[in-house]
Amino acid sequence: MKTGNRIQQLGLAISGPTDRMCRFRLITTMLLAVISFSHVPALKAASSDDGETVTKETMAFETHRIHRQNLQWFGKRKSRIGDYAEVTHKVGTVTTRYFKRDFKFSLHVATFEGAAVKLNVKNHTVFAPLDNDDKGFVQGIVDFAIEDKWGISNVEMTYDAYESTYTATITTGDSPDDTWQFMAERRWKAGDGLVASGTLTNGSRTLHIESSSVPPTFEPIAEIHEEGEVLCSRSSGINGYDFRTGLSPDVKLLLLTSMEILAINAHGEYW
């Protein structure tokens, strides 16, 4: 009887540690599996295919390079915005009188996904003649008179500053919220560069527009933001537009159209 009890106790002594060892190995394996899988997203977020670190900023925006034609065909100039869209720009009527100029230009923005918008933009510019330069002032008057009378648009006009106002209506859909009013004011002065600001609103939402090209680099910088959050920008030294990822197609089209309006200078050309 005692011998049988000892054998049974010995069997329990052996099977107890064995079961605990099996449970330990099972738990360890499960923990390792959980830890391994939990690192997969982090690794994907931390490195790209080329081994470089991917930051939150680079993941939050997508860049589309700008490619513009050097020549105009029948008064039109086309630009390709990466693999996203094609823009057709055409300058219409131009009226110049006493250091004031009004011109209209049209934009047709068509994405490669099939969406498109066409609009007319009005520009009113007031030029400032050179200060303390009677000869320059008189020459400026003559230049403007020649252009106004004969329509010669390549006359070099003498001025050292100007202010421009751009207005347009951008419609990206059929609902009232898809109609936006664009208004921006641009100020340029020799030596100080260019700054612009404005709004883009559909009545219920208002986006804010900022643009500049100032010393020392004079690189064009522009952005459109809403409540402090940048939705689209053109950064210094980058010939392209950065769009916030996750934007709806109509908002993205709206932003591109607005940025293209900002890219037109007081003479109707891209800057």
Side-chain angles (χ1 to χ4, degrees):
M1 185 70 178
K2 293 182 180 180
T3 303
N5 289 337
R6 290 176 182 174
I7 294 175
Q8 184 178 7
Q9 291 174 1
L10 182 59
L12 290 173
I14 295 174
S15 61
T18 302
D19 289 342
R20 287 195 294 271
M21 181 62 69
C22 292
R23 287 196 297 270
F24 174 78
R25 289 177 179 176
L26 178 60
I27 293 171
T28 302
T29 303
M30 292 175 65
L31 287 174
L32 290 175
V34 171
I35 294 173
S36 299
F37 282 111
S38 65
H39 279 72
V40 171
L43 291 172
K44 289 184 178 180
S47 62
S48 60
D49 293 337
D50 54 10
E52 295 181 355
T53 300
V54 178
T55 64
K56 181 179 180 180
E57 288 75 15
T58 59
M59 293 177 63
F61 290 88
E62 58 183 69
T63 301
H64 296 277
R65 298 288 180 176
I66 302 171
H67 303 278
R68 305 209 188 276
Q69 289 183 345
N70 294 325
L71 300 176
Q72 292 187 12
W73 297 94
F74 301 102
K76 296 180 180 180
R77 185 180 182 182
K78 291 188 176 182
S79 304
R80 184 185 177 99
I81 312 302
D83 295 327
Y84 172 58
E86 185 177 76
V87 179
T88 303
H89 161 240
K90 181 180 181 181
V91 175
T93 58
V94 180
T95 303
T96 304
R97 190 180 301 274
Y98 300 112
F99 286 94
K100 295 181 180 179
R101 167 180 287 159
D102 292 279
F103 76 88
K104 299 178 181 179
F105 63 91
S106 66
L107 291 175
H108 181 251
V109 184
T111 70
F112 296 130
E113 296 177 352
V117 61
K118 186 175 183 179
L119 71 154
N120 296 315
V121 184
K122 293 181 180 180
N123 169 275
H124 175 71
T125 302
V126 178
F127 295 88
L130 290 172
D131 295 332
N132 301 321
D133 187 350
D134 293 338
K135 182 178 179 181
F137 178 80
V138 173
Q139 184 63 47
I141 292 290
V142 172
D143 290 344
F144 269 89
I146 291 174
E147 182 173 7
D148 186 39
K149 178 69 176 179
W150 303 105
I152 302 174
S153 60
N154 61 349
V155 174
E156 183 178 355
M157 292 167 288
T158 307
Y159 60 89
D160 67 352
Y162 70 76
E163 293 185 1
S164 289
T165 302
Y166 295 76
T167 56
T169 299
I170 306 173
T171 303
T172 59
D174 298 328
S175 71
D177 287 341
D178 294 329
T179 298
W180 297 77
Q181 300 301 321
F182 177 101
M183 194 285 293
E185 294 181 351
R186 173 179 288 162
R187 297 165 298 281
W188 175 87
K189 186 174 179 59
D192 294 339
L194 179 149
V195 293
S197 61
T199 57
L200 189 63
T201 180
N202 64 355
S204 59
R205 294 178 62 184
T206 299
L207 313 183
H208 296 276
I209 302 166
E210 304 290 341
S211 178
S212 65
S213 177
V214 296
T217 63
F218 289 95
E219 291 284 351
I221 302 173
E223 71 175 30
I224 300 176
H225 55 88
E226 183 179 25
E227 298 180 351
E229 180 181 353
V230 176
L231 303 180
C232 181
S233 66
R234 180 176 180 181
S235 302
S236 175
I238 299 178
N239 188 31
Y241 296 133
D242 293 330
F243 295 94
R244 188 69 178 266
T245 58
L247 295 171
S248 63
D250 56 332
V251 170
K252 187 175 178 181
L253 178 59
L254 170 73
L255 295 173
L256 172 59
T257 304
S258 301
M259 295 293 277
E260 284 292 285
I261 295 176
L262 286 177
I264 306 297
N265 63 25
H267 298 280
E269 295 294 331
Y270 283 105
W271 57 286

